[in-house]
Amino acid sequence: SSPRRLRPVSHGARQLDNTIVPEDIFRHAMVPQTATARPALVPVAVEWSDELLRRREHLVTIDVGDASTPLFGVDLRIIDYTESGQLRFRVSIAVDGDVRSSDFEVRFGPNGVRYVLDGGPLAFINVGGRRTALVEWFRDNPPAVYFANGALLLGDELFTPPRMDDRIPYSRERIEAWNWAGTNICEESQKTQKRPDGIVTLTSRCRNDWAG
């Protein structure tokens, strides 16, 4: 028999389904805890706040010392990939081949976190017609710090994924393989000529088969 395909279910049907236990859903939710000390976790990445990423990148500029560049030209990365010691990240820009960098440390305390300049020149962000020191901007718009175990730090809120021991893996028998015969994986778009061998053509065809 063919594998079972998942069909959309209306919200009303879900609300009337007595087999759904809400506690089972929230049991796997990431509930934040207040971090008053540096988490004993290995940071792997750092990202600008959602509020900043929703803005048009060319309308936001970063100044490091006497150099400036649009947000899309800024490098934001973790400095120390360790589970102890300082939790630091670096903001770097390159202007005419010259790299300027400012280092920041996340300091924890009972009253929240502070972002302290730990090396390099002062750095500023220009957004909405205002120039603000990055240490102040980070206070109101904390960057997201990701850890190796899947945890996420936003300001002093630490989101830790629940244990995976009791999770039931998705049944492989319910996964239906697509037939990629005749599809050129190097061509994604259909383009104006509606290429029959593009990836978009395949996904559209499979989506229509699934909906039907």
Side-chain angles (χ1 to χ4, degrees):
S1 60
S2 60
R4 176 184 173 188
R5 295 174 178 171
L6 299 180
R7 302 284 182 180
V9 180
S10 68
H11 293 295
R14 289 194 180 96
Q15 293 175 346
L16 298 175
D17 189 347
N18 295 325
T19 64
I20 298 177
V21 182
E23 288 75 11
D24 289 343
I25 300 175
F26 293 108
R27 186 160 47 111
H28 300 296
M30 295 175 65
V31 180
Q33 294 181 330
T34 301
T36 57
R38 187 231 197 268
L41 303 170
V42 178
V44 294
V46 59
E47 189 175 56
W48 298 104
S49 65
D50 287 343
E51 191 279 337
L52 187 59
L53 293 177
R54 283 194 292 266
R55 294 176 177 266
R56 295 183 179 180
E57 290 187 329
H58 67 283
L59 298 180
V60 179
T61 59
I62 299 294
D63 302 339
V64 178
D66 59 355
S68 181
T69 192
L71 184 63
F72 59 76
V74 180
D75 183 52
L76 182 66
R77 67 175 60 199
I78 294 293
I79 298 176
D80 309 298
Y81 297 92
T82 60
E83 64 180 17
S84 61
Q86 293 176 295
L87 179 57
R88 301 187 302 162
F89 59 90
R90 176 170 295 156
V91 175
S92 301
I93 66 175
V95 179
D96 297 328
D98 183 21
V99 178
R100 313 285 179 86
S101 299
S102 294
D103 297 344
F104 297 87
E105 179 189 356
V106 185
R107 293 186 182 175
F108 298 83
N111 297 321
V113 300
R114 292 187 301 133
Y115 299 89
V116 181
L117 184 67
D118 191 59
L122 291 174
F124 296 84
I125 182 171
N126 303 285
V127 57
R130 298 184 59 183
R131 188 172 189 252
T132 308
L134 273 181
V135 290
E136 298 179 14
W137 174 269
F138 289 143
R139 181 188 60 202
D140 299 325
N141 304 273
V145 179
Y146 298 90
F147 296 93
N149 72 330
L152 166 66
L153 180 70
L154 289 174
D156 63 350
E157 289 190 319
L158 180 64
F159 296 80
T160 304
R163 293 177 60 88
M164 306 285 287
D165 301 343
D166 59 345
R167 289 200 176 185
I168 302 175
Y170 191 80
S171 174
R172 298 184 63 177
E173 288 71 24
R174 299 178 64 183
I175 300 176
E176 182 175 353
W178 289 355
N179 181 7
W180 288 78
T183 300
N184 184 354
I185 62 173
C186 296
E187 294 290 342
E188 180 178 3
S189 175
Q190 290 180 316
K191 294 185 169 51
T192 56
Q193 62 267 40
K194 300 296 183 181
R195 293 177 58 99
D197 60 345
I199 295 177
V200 171
T201 303
L202 172 68
T203 56
S204 298
R205 183 169 63 248
C206 291
R207 193 159 48 238
N208 293 334
D209 291 345
W210 175 80

